[in-house]
Amino acid sequence: MTTTATRPASLDTLSWLEAEGIHIIREVAAELERPCLLFSGGKDSIVMLRLAEKAFWPARIPFAVMHVDTGHNFPEAIDFRDRRAAELEVELLVASVQESIDRGRVVEEVGPRASRNRLQTVTLLDAITEHNFDALFGGARRDEEKARAKERIFSFRDAFGQWDPSNQRPELWNLYNGRLTRGEHIRAFPLSNWTELDVWQYIKRERLEIPSIYFAHQREMFRRDGMLFPVSNFVPRLPGEDPFDARVRFRTVGDMTCTAGVLSEADTLDSVVAEIAATRITERGETRADDRFSEAAMEDRKREGYF
Amino acid sequence: MVAAALADPLDPLGPDERTLLRLATAGSVDDGKSTLIGRLLFDSKQTFIDQMEAIERTSRTRGEDDVNLAYLTDGLRSERDQGITIDVAYRYFSTPRRKFILADTPGHVQYTRNMVTGASTADAALLLVDARRGVLEQTRRHAYLSNLLGIRHFVLCVNKMDLVGWDRSIFDSITEELTRFAGRMGVYDVRAIPISAKHGDWVVEASERMPWYPGPPLLELLETLEASEPPQHHASRLPVQYIIRPLRDEYHDYRGYAGTMASGVLRVGDRVKVMPAGAETTVVGIDAFDQPIVEATPPMAVTVRLADQLDVRRGSMIVSAEHPPIAATSIDAHICWMSERVPLRERDRLVVKHTTQSTRALVQEIGARLDVNTLDYDLTASQLSLNEIGRVRLRLMAPVAVDPYDESRETGAFILIDEATSATVGAGMITSGG
């Protein structure tokens, strides 16, 4: 027996990340009473769900999955979501932003730039209360955004769902502290250490099915703020925002109101991975209008209880 | 406008066998750490165009001559407002040869706990020294804590060589001082590099201004650093995390013990003990998702099946029957205290979380307190305040299977939890158990 404390490097990075993610998911399932996995049908949550499937095999995933549905999603993503949940025989909960609006919990923004993005937070927190969840798995990655670069893997939310970045628990080794005080819940992020390219390479390696909007396809688009948005009933167009046909794909799955597409010919997983590896613009910078409001947009939304 | 960088030359379509190196770096505001990290990200083409545009804007707004690469690592608004880093930030970059996770931590004494946190998962420490100021108290503290946390590979970057006229003798004397200090702690792998993070010398490219340094540049060194060793050198340890019992007809009698391999190699057919009780049995199967495998090594997440029906639960540990760990009810450990609320005192009661097991502990004795500046131990100490490190003896309510931290980080480490607040208040590294 030699004296060293370092980690054997026998595993490639993807296998290492996979093992870490499974470890995190099992810790949460073991230490918390009522976890739930947030599943949007987007690529990150697809990978996370795969890790959950692996973590408990041959048993079924021992918790429900939940989608916060703004009502403005891509229909392709919704179809995929339903199919995948059925395949895994997991319980799928849908928390509806439309219902929150109908019940007067939130007030819908108006105008051509209206988005339900911020409203999701209320719907999410209401659902957490309703179902009594004490842990939510989220697919957020630290490479996405600077506020996330500092977020813990077990991230605590107070009774108001708020994140306090200046008061995070130290997180050492792979020893996660899942103890809650009253009213708190945790957000657990098994993909914290993944990069966008890791996610794509993993999807490719595992041959995971993903919604069709990730591949290049013909779609009616319009240009706004230098980005290309899909034409939909949810977004009134401003004068001069004339629709045109383009061959696009989407790098993220969000609301049709705030998710931009990129011109692309990549219609296979191989070509998508090649394109991601070569890209020089961050995923959020290129395609998420919701992060562009201010330098600290994500930090602010996270404080309020956003994903 | 900065020109768009070239794409990663790696073929993204082939199987990616790149390994991962985890680094920890610490430093204060003015030693150029953020600039160095920004330089690594920028020169290794990990900086995206929109990020570059954002920092160009910020640099202009703040009236700076050059694009300040340090803004690439800027964090939370509260930190920007105070102009300091207060928390660990994780950065990701990769080269065609390797992927990296860098834990970027503040170096001030009041952030010792963050430094300890960042170092806890790192394979190598990146030590940054300002050539004009030499090895400082902070450098020694960072080196000491890195070693305490089990890091055996130091990369010393003597930065700001441009401000000392690229003077070799300055580099040599700093290198000698740090190497001697590391050697006293038992760290023999110190690689020193003279750099200018601001201008890029010897960071990614060779520097003509310091031809006396033979290379390699920092990034190449990091790509080739051998920071690990084969798991065969250790005894097998698998802390049980979760019991898998599928309530479905197909797997009616399946009972598996899920966990993450902590050390060694576990093979089908191995004789094992289940700690802490120590009952012996045989491994009859190892599952990694839908296919059985013949051996498991760290840090694989696996599910193990055993020949006999034993009392195995979360917190049990499946271990090599030949080299079992100690089932300890008393442990001696280095503890870094992290609570702002109260100090650690003798006779305090806390919760210890060690691998997947949690138990109560009583602080029996605080034997010594480290002065992180002089690195001397004060033997008269009876308590530890925030950010202080000491030698502590704990008595445990239930036996815990432990190894010395020097031999295994995974089974030698624990955290302390305050039951009143649920907060993580300490980090422990076991020196011995009984």
Side-chain angles (χ1 to χ4, degrees), chain B residues 64-384:
Chain B
E64 301 180 22
D65 289 343
D66 301 317
V67 175
N68 189 342
L69 291 175
Y71 293 137
L72 274 176
T73 62
D74 249 7
L76 305 168
R77 178 152 49 194
S78 46
E79 295 178 316
R80 280 201 301 282
D81 292 348
Q82 295 173 57
I84 53 159
T85 310
I86 52 178
D87 209 337
V88 189
Y90 294 91
R91 316 282 172 200
Y92 302 83
F93 62 102
S94 57
T95 70
R97 294 164 83 174
R98 206 171 214 176
K99 294 189 181 184
F100 299 91
I101 300 177
L102 189 148
D104 179 10
T105 66
H108 286 138
V109 61
Q110 66 264 39
Y111 304 118
T112 297
R113 65 172 173 178
N114 299 97
M115 216 193 281
V116 166
T117 300
S120 75
T121 51
D123 307 307
L126 204 57
L127 304 168
L128 206 59
V129 171
D130 184 330
R132 295 168 304 171
R133 296 156 80 195
V135 174
L136 301 178
E137 195 174 281
Q138 180 172 289
T139 321
R140 281 192 295 269
R141 183 166 62 241
H142 182 198
Y144 187 90
L145 293 175
S146 298
N147 176 52
L148 190 66
L149 270 291
I151 298 175
R152 301 288 177 261
H153 307 276
F154 289 179
V155 177
L156 169 66
C157 296
V158 180
N159 190 25
K160 304 196 183 181
M161 288 299 292
D162 50 318
L163 299 181
V164 296
W166 317 104
D167 184 340
R168 179 179 191 166
S169 64
I170 290 177
F171 170 73
D172 286 345
S173 80
I174 291 172
T175 302
E176 195 199 319
E177 184 179 351
L178 204 274
T179 305
R180 200 166 351 102
F181 180 77
R184 286 216 316 263
M185 301 185 299
V187 174
Y188 303 109
D189 185 18
V190 180
R191 322 281 181 96
I193 308 182
I195 62 167
S196 164
K198 192 174 172 197
H199 301 289
D201 298 73
W202 284 121
V203 177
V204 175
E205 307 288 340
S207 163
E208 288 169 8
R209 292 180 282 211
M210 291 180 281
W212 44 264
Y213 172 74
L218 175 61
L219 192 62
E220 189 184 326
L221 175 68
L222 297 177
E223 283 179 320
T224 52
L225 196 69
E226 198 46 75
S228 56
E229 61 172 296
Q232 285 79 1
H233 294 192
H234 298 270
S236 52
R237 307 277 187 262
L238 178 72
V240 176
Q241 229 184 334
Y242 199 91
I243 314 296
I244 309 276
R245 288 185 57 213
L247 300 169
R248 50 206 302 188
D249 295 341
E250 207 184 331
Y251 296 97
H252 189 75
D253 294 320
Y254 188 99
R255 191 181 175 88
Y257 307 105
T260 302
M261 277 300 289
S263 68
V265 186
L266 203 59
R267 294 186 181 85
V268 174
D270 277 0
R271 288 296 287 171
V272 292
K273 282 186 172 172
V274 178
M275 300 297 285
E280 255 190 72
T281 182
T282 305
V283 175
V284 293
I286 305 175
D287 297 318
F289 194 39
D290 53 0
Q291 55 189 19
I293 54 176
V294 291
E295 63 172 46
T297 54
M300 290 167 66
V302 294
T303 302
V304 165
R305 285 173 282 122
L306 301 175
D308 303 287
Q309 288 274 357
L310 300 173
D311 177 20
V312 186
R313 57 182 83 178
R314 175 175 165 82
S316 300
M317 197 187 291
I318 297 169
V319 305
S320 151
E322 211 179 327
H323 299 288
I326 300 156
T329 49
S330 169
I331 51 178
D332 288 342
H334 282 106
I335 285 175
C336 175
W337 189 245
M338 300 179 160
S339 169
E340 280 152 7
R341 201 174 65 92
V342 285
L344 180 72
R345 293 197 182 90
E346 291 177 356
R347 286 188 299 285
D348 278 354
R349 277 165 219 280
L350 295 144
V351 171
V352 163
K353 183 175 180 185
H354 170 268
T355 66
T356 57
Q357 186 183 11
S358 295
T359 183
R360 287 208 175 81
L362 176 72
V363 179
Q364 215 162 27
E365 193 192 342
I366 295 177
R369 180 176 56 208
L370 173 72
D371 182 324
V372 290
N373 296 324
T374 61
L375 302 177
D376 291 328
Y377 278 92
D378 171 4
L379 300 177
T380 64
S382 61
Q383 65 171 52
L384 297 178

Side-chain angles (χ1 to χ4, degrees), chain A residues 59-103:
Chain A
R60 290 190 188 90
I61 296 171
F63 40 77
V65 304
M66 179 165 74
H67 181 218
V68 177
D69 186 351
T70 58
H72 289 173
N73 293 283
F74 288 92
E76 296 92 331
I78 298 294
D79 287 349
F80 174 83
R81 172 198 80 186
D82 294 346
R83 208 152 19 91
R84 185 74 182 125
E87 215 170 83
L88 291 173
E89 301 175 73
V90 290
E91 187 187 0
L92 172 67
L93 305 168
V94 177
S96 157
V97 172
Q98 185 62 52
E99 267 174 43
S100 302
I101 294 169
D102 296 344
R103 281 187 295 141

Side-chain angles (χ1 to χ4, degrees), chain A residues 4 7 9 13 23 27 31 57-58 150 169 171 173 176-177 193 198 204 270 280 282 299-300, chain B residues 13 18 20 47 49-50 77 79 92 99 117 120 123 228-229 241 260 289 314 353 405 422 424:
Chain A
T4 181
R7 172 180 59 76
T13 304
H23 179 83
E27 273 310 276
E31 293 217 335
W57 186 93
K150 301 214 166 177
R169 289 182 187 173
E171 206 163 72
W173 300 289
Y176 303 102
N177 172 5
N193 285 323
D198 294 326
K204 183 170 172 292
D270 278 359
R280 301 305 318 149
T282 64
E299 187 175 342
D300 292 341
Chain B
L13 302 181
R18 283 181 287 179
L20 186 65
T47 314
I49 293 165
D50 53 322
R77 178 152 49 194
E79 295 178 316
Y92 302 83
K99 294 189 181 184
T117 300
S120 75
D123 307 307
S228 56
E229 61 172 296
Q241 229 184 334
T260 302
F289 194 39
R314 175 175 165 82
K353 183 175 180 185
Y405 186 81
S422 297
T424 303

